[in-house]
Amino acid sequence: MTDQVLLLAAGLSVALLSLLLLGLMLCCLWRRKRRRKARSQYEELLSTVPSVPACSAPVILVSQGSLAKPGEIPFTLPPRFMAQDHNNLKNVEEKEEGEEIKMETRRDILAHRGSLSVSRWYPVGTVLAGLYSVPPLNEVVAPPPGMATRLCFSVEYRHSSEQLMVSLLRLGNLPPRFHGNVTLVELRLLPDDRRPRQAKARGTGPDPEFNDCFVFQVSGVCVSQSTLSVCVLSVEQHGKRHAVGRVLFPLEGELGQAGRVLWRDLETEDDTQCSELGDVQISLSYSPSLQRLSVVVLRARGLQLLTDAGVCVQVSLQIHTQAVKIKRSSVVKGESDTHFSYRMTFKLRPQHLDEACLRFELQQPQDVRSEPPVLLGVLVLGPFMYARGPQLQHWMDMVNTPQEPVKLWHGLCRAT
């Protein structure tokens, strides 16, 4: 009985193994037959390989396994354009010739940009650059008549993304002494923006071009309260900078026509009008290594003098609300336009640059020395905590250009 059970088990095992082998053989035969059938369907289309004419434009080779980059459109050709090797008859000479053709085509890519990318080397076409030629910028945005130095730009505010787009186009009628220098432009969005955005002109001469675009992130509530500040600088070969002028463009009421081209005259030191109480010219420089703040009160103009007793200037360095150091010049006799040339230095650590400010007071002494002097005007220069507009810009220019004096005119204000 036991022998019969063993024989039966052995027979079943042999039968199952035979069925498994038979199934594998049938599967292999079916797959081979399917491949032959697929090849026979495209035999006519693949009979010849298209030749690449010598005058055809080159194309860029894209590997089949690579993913498409952003901005590219995946593109494939029908099977009749694909070169396949049916019988593996390519020899070493054909491979070498193919490599030489590929190397020549890669070298020609530098001269022919814009060809359509396909999955094999096959000419499709190139973009005709003549159809997309752009006229010169001086023909599109010609400056208005006149000899004043002007800046051409445009502004656009996008409410969806809360972004202010500023397109800097060109300058017009640059003074002759700056024609051979490099022209730089610094942009700020006052009063919040502390770090300037810089642009370099693409060329020299009287009408340098920029064609640069800048993005400022500002909310819709604050954009109407902001002012775009554009300072134009001329840089010599050895690095010395000269201020050409600046444009202050308040954005309130100017964002209605988005993208319109604007021309604004540059304000220079000679063109700056005096304020009601007068103006004072200040020079600032800071040395981080020496921790020294150098201040020079150069001159004043348009002062409303009450007597001919003379004028003096008092300068105080403040950190928060505490006056750290106070210095006063001697009394200078003069009229409304007074030359001081009063130089002083303050000890100031770099970590206190965002906490300190300079307060200038122009005073006229009384005939009786026991009486306090008459205050003619006040000026405060400092970071965002204390100043806005040109006063803030002057301080930030000093911080961003260490060991280089920055000179600017400022209008006096009444004491508060």
Side-chain angles (χ1 to χ4, degrees), residues 143-153 170-179 183 185 205-208 210 230-234 243-247 262-268 271:
M147 298 303 296
T149 305
R150 295 182 174 93
L151 177 69
C152 180
F153 63 100
R170 57 173 297 201
L171 274 172
N173 300 328
L174 198 65
R177 64 180 182 274
F178 300 134
H179 287 182
T183 304
V185 170
D207 304 318
F210 293 92
V230 184
C231 294
V232 181
L233 305 174
S234 181
V244 181
R246 66 173 181 177
V247 173
L262 303 171
W263 284 94
R264 291 293 184 272
D265 294 350
L266 265 67
E267 297 180 0
T268 60
D271 298 334

Side-chain angles (χ1 to χ4, degrees), residues 11-21:
L12 290 175
S13 301
V14 172
L16 291 175
L17 182 60
S18 301
L19 290 175
L20 181 60
L21 294 175

Side-chain angles (χ1 to χ4, degrees), residues 27-296:
C27 182
C28 293
L29 292 175
W30 177 76
R31 291 180 63 182
R32 185 176 299 177
K33 183 178 180 181
R34 185 178 178 182
R35 290 179 181 176
R36 291 179 179 177
K37 184 178 180 180
R39 289 183 180 179
S40 62
Q41 291 179 355
Y42 295 98
E43 187 175 1
E44 296 180 359
L45 295 177
L46 301 176
S47 58
T48 59
V49 179
S51 59
V52 180
C55 61
S56 299
V59 295
I60 302 174
L61 180 63
V62 179
S63 60
Q64 293 181 351
S66 62
L67 298 176
K69 298 180 180 179
E72 297 182 356
I73 301 176
F75 182 81
T76 56
L77 291 177
R80 63 190 182 91
F81 288 116
M82 296 183 180
Q84 296 183 2
D85 188 6
H86 304 290
N87 301 322
N88 295 326
L89 298 179
K90 288 185 177 180
N91 51 22
V92 178
E93 295 180 355
E94 292 179 352
K95 291 183 179 180
E96 293 179 354
E97 292 178 359
E99 291 296 332
E100 292 178 358
I101 295 175
K102 291 180 181 179
M103 292 300 296
E104 292 178 358
T105 311
R106 288 192 181 98
R107 287 193 295 267
D108 292 339
I109 288 176
L110 298 176
H112 299 272
R113 301 286 180 92
S115 298
L116 186 62
S117 300
V118 297
S119 58
R120 280 292 185 269
W121 294 95
Y122 189 81
V124 178
T126 57
V127 176
L128 298 178
L131 298 178
Y132 305 95
S133 60
V134 180
L137 189 59
N138 55 5
E139 298 180 4
V140 179
V141 284
M147 298 303 296
T149 305
R150 295 182 174 93
L151 177 69
C152 180
F153 63 100
S154 66
V155 293
E156 178 184 359
Y157 185 71
R158 299 178 180 178
H159 293 273
S160 58
S161 57
E162 294 187 341
Q163 291 180 343
L164 179 67
M165 314 290 294
V166 180
S167 298
L168 193 63
L169 301 178
R170 57 173 297 201
L171 274 172
N173 300 328
L174 198 65
R177 64 180 182 274
F178 300 134
H179 287 182
N181 299 344
V182 177
T183 304
L184 292 179
V185 170
E186 293 183 349
L187 293 90
R188 287 187 181 91
L189 192 63
L190 303 177
D192 298 334
D193 197 6
R194 302 186 181 185
R195 181 176 301 176
R197 319 285 178 90
Q198 288 190 351
K200 182 180 179 181
R202 303 177 184 179
T204 58
D207 304 318
E209 298 180 0
F210 293 92
N211 293 332
D212 292 318
C213 184
F214 299 89
V215 180
F216 296 89
Q217 196 72 35
V218 56
S219 64
V221 179
C222 299
V223 67
S224 60
Q225 305 172 1
S226 302
T227 300
L228 179 65
S229 172
V230 184
C231 294
V232 181
L233 305 174
S234 181
V235 184
E236 297 182 358
Q237 293 182 355
H238 53 80
K240 186 177 181 180
R241 294 188 176 189
H242 301 275
V244 181
R246 66 173 181 177
V247 173
L248 292 177
F249 184 70
L251 298 178
E252 184 178 4
E254 297 290 345
L255 301 177
Q257 299 178 2
R260 63 190 178 102
V261 177
L262 303 171
W263 284 94
R264 291 293 184 272
D265 294 350
L266 265 67
E267 297 180 0
T268 60
E269 294 183 358
D270 298 333
D271 298 334
T272 305
Q273 298 181 356
C274 294
S275 62
E276 181 182 356
L277 301 179
D279 298 335
V280 60
Q281 190 180 32
I282 307 295
S283 176
L284 301 178
S285 66
Y286 181 73
S287 175
S289 58
L290 300 177
Q291 299 182 2
R292 183 175 63 190
L293 174 61
S294 301
V295 182
V296 182

